[in-house]
Amino acid sequence: MKILVINSGSSSLKFQLINMTYKKTIARGLFERIGEKKSCFHFRKNSTSETIETAIKDHSTAISTALNALTSRENGILKDITEIDAVGHRMVHGGEKINKAEVLTPEIEQIMEDNAKLAPLHNPAMLKGFIETKKLLPDIPHVAVFDTAFHSTMPPHAYIYGLPYEYYSEHGIRRFGFHGPSHHYIARRTAEILGKGYDEVNCITCHMGNGVSIVAIKNGKSVDTSLGFGTMCGVPMGTRAGDFDPDILLYCISHLGLNADEMKDVIYKKSGLKGISGLSNDMRDIVDGAESGNERASLALNIFAHTARKHIAALATNLTEGMDALVFTAGIGENSIRVREEICRGLEFIGIRLDPEKNHIRGEESEISADDSPVKILVVPTNEELMIAMETEEIIRG
Ligand code: ADP
């Protein structure tokens, strides 16, 4: 079976064609700056890649360009589009009604539209990607895999905030959690690595890329997470603030004269690693800066590690009957030796003991805990697209 995975953003679109027999990506591509003068199409198959600067006026053009690349005789990937068996679409917000992947029907489209206000940047763009792909591939199943669905197993005491209950019951304000396919994939791989059944795995997964979320997984189910109603809380991210006291918002609005849009700009685009360091939103620059004596880069690194540690220790309270592993993934988690070292230093009291030698790896699946560590520490490269394809396959096979 071959599954096309589509991840559609407002001005970008990523795709991967995955052979499900071997769980291998056959080809992948990325369109950037859709609708602008200088759009770009990066395409990769086997070990060759190319970047074409070409006008991509909209999502429909991006998808037809992708299908042409996949079926062109010179690329030799597919004879024609009938070789694609299904499409898996990454969707961000399923709201409260969606707790698993779903075949895209008009009802699911409606739920996506209803949830647009919860994810205004993502849901409309993803829906657009689906509508345009469906026009070009009308005869095969299209499945939506939601970021939020993996966290639908959280108990009410983890997802309801300390606000008046009506904010939840009437307005749906609650913790949702994000990066579901990544955490789900990591938990599955962790179970395989540890030789346990998926329903028996107890771990904390740290997805640390441009966005950061940490999740407690008990018996294979998400039971609590550092992200919330939106993607703002938890650990400071590239440009997002992470946890801060909501009183600060009220103070800035009352005393600094900032309005809601200006505050949003501050907390989403000018905060986090970039705001603290004044240097960069990229963890590589922060680590380099800290190592060459830049004090604010050091401060950003310390705040990141301290907040991550705090969340890991707090989330571990969900796993008092046993914690098998702490798992790092995504750009920072997979690649930053220094960040993993900083986070683990100070977590020995909950059984997390790093082996500094084993920690010297980047981007490869590896166990990095000391031999006597009660909790295993793992690095597992994430593969959200493969998880989306696996969930798509499971849905269409019933
Ligand atoms: P996204 O969340 O957009 O998918 P990634 O998971 O690719 O992002 O993570 C991107 C981030 O990973 C970069 O901003 C950078 O901070 C971090 N990163 C990548 N390589 C390294 C490295 N070697 N050391 C530290 N951080 C890294």
Side-chain angles (χ1 to χ4, degrees):
M1 177 177 278
K2 293 190 182 82
I3 294 182
L4 180 65
V5 175
I6 302 273
N7 183 351
S8 176
S10 54
S11 66
S12 70
L13 187 141
K14 289 189 222 168
F15 68 90
Q16 279 195 27
L17 181 69
I18 300 180
N19 181 326
M20 297 310 290
T21 310
Y22 306 104
K23 306 268 187 290
K24 282 266 178 286
T25 298
I26 307 166
R28 69 179 76 206
L30 162 67
F31 294 91
E32 292 180 299
R33 298 193 295 268
I34 295 173
E36 293 178 30
K37 270 193 199 129
K38 278 196 170 179
S39 327
C40 219
F41 174 32
H42 309 275
F43 184 64
R44 186 176 175 85
K45 57 161 179 131
N46 305 322
S47 54
T48 60
S49 60
E50 57 179 329
T51 296
I52 307 154
E53 280 204 10
T54 170
I56 303 287
K57 70 176 188 331
D58 50 28
H59 285 67
S60 167
T61 316
I63 291 156
S64 55
T65 307
L67 294 177
N68 285 341
L70 292 172
T71 52
S72 87
R73 197 176 293 175
E74 71 196 67
N75 283 329
I77 299 163
L78 297 175
K79 280 204 290 298
D80 59 59
I81 53 169
T82 60
E83 281 189 65
I84 302 173
D85 296 289
V87 185
H89 295 267
R90 180 185 171 216
M91 299 285 175
V92 164
H93 223 304
E96 222 179 10
K97 291 190 184 142
I98 302 274
N99 57 15
K100 59 176 184 44
E102 296 278 359
V103 173
L104 267 153
T105 57
E107 291 74 37
I108 299 295
E109 272 187 65
Q110 188 57 51
I111 292 176
M112 292 281 299
E113 273 175 30
D114 295 345
N115 288 328
K117 62 180 179 298
L118 296 171
L121 286 180
H122 293 99
N123 272 24
M126 290 170 164
L127 206 47
K128 197 163 161 190
F130 155 66
I131 291 164
E132 297 305 332
T133 315
K134 176 92 180 160
K135 281 185 200 157
L136 295 167
L137 297 168
D139 301 322
I140 54 174
H142 290 252
V143 173
V145 179
F146 294 86
D147 263 36
T148 48
F150 181 63
H151 303 292
S152 64
T153 45
M154 282 190 290
H157 61 254
Y159 69 71
I160 294 184
Y161 289 110
L163 292 166
Y165 188 75
E166 297 69 38
Y167 281 70
Y168 165 64
S169 59
E170 287 173 25
H171 304 291
I173 294 175
R174 52 161 285 178
R175 184 186 303 281
F176 287 105
F178 297 88
H179 298 132
S182 176
H183 291 287
H184 192 181
Y185 176 79
I186 296 305
R188 282 200 187 196
R189 253 331 274 148
T190 299
E192 284 165 7
I193 293 167
L194 301 178
K196 294 188 97 172
Y198 181 72
D199 293 347
E200 293 163 6
V201 74
N202 297 303
C203 58
I204 291 185
T205 50
C206 304
H207 177 107
M208 299 181 155
N210 280 314
V212 175
S213 66
I214 307 182
V215 176
I217 293 171
K218 188 172 181 178
N219 298 329
K221 293 191 171 77
S222 167
V223 288
D224 204 355
T225 173
S226 65
L227 284 183
F229 175 68
T231 56
M232 169 51 59
C233 56
V235 182
M237 296 165 243
T239 60
R240 277 175 266 166
D243 288 342
F244 70 99
D245 183 345
D247 257 349
I248 296 167
L249 285 181
L250 305 179
Y251 183 90
C252 292
I253 290 167
S254 306
H255 298 289
L256 306 186
L258 295 176
N259 64 32
D261 282 341
E262 289 164 335
M263 260 339 284
K264 187 173 167 192
D265 196 47
V266 171
I267 64 175
Y268 273 92
K269 297 192 181 145
K270 295 182 176 157
S271 298
L273 298 176
K274 185 178 174 190
I276 302 164
S277 69
L279 185 71
S280 169
N281 62 322
D282 191 306
M283 188 55 97
R284 283 165 286 207
D285 300 331
I286 300 298
V287 170
D288 287 349
E291 289 179 354
S292 52
N294 181 315
E295 282 184 16
R296 277 180 51 192
S298 269
L299 181 64
L301 178 59
N302 288 342
I303 294 174
F304 184 93
H306 168 75
T307 318
R309 256 193 320 267
K310 211 156 100 170
H311 277 277
I312 292 167
L315 287 166
T317 59
N318 292 282
L319 306 177
T320 48
E321 287 155 37
M323 175 170 159
D324 302 316
L326 173 71
V327 198
F328 289 100
T329 195
I332 299 172
E334 290 165 28
N335 294 300
S336 184
I337 296 164
R338 177 77 191 270
V339 170
R340 293 192 299 254
E341 198 175 274
E342 295 290 339
I343 292 174
C344 292
R345 186 180 301 138
L347 286 177
E348 294 81 1
F349 77 106
I350 51 167
I352 290 166
R353 276 185 222 136
L354 187 77
D355 181 323
E357 296 289 312
K358 289 193 205 161
N359 185 36
H360 267 263
I361 52 107
R362 286 201 168 97
E364 59 182 275
E365 195 169 283
S366 198
E367 188 199 317
I368 57 170
S369 36
D371 293 342
D372 64 350
S373 179
V375 174
K376 297 252 184 280
I377 312 172
L378 305 175
V379 175
V380 177
T382 194
N383 196 336
E384 288 158 291
E385 287 78 10
L386 179 57
M387 192 67 236
I388 292 169
M390 292 195 299
E391 290 199 54
T392 301
E393 186 181 29
E394 283 165 18
I395 288 284
I396 59 179
R397 288 195 193 279

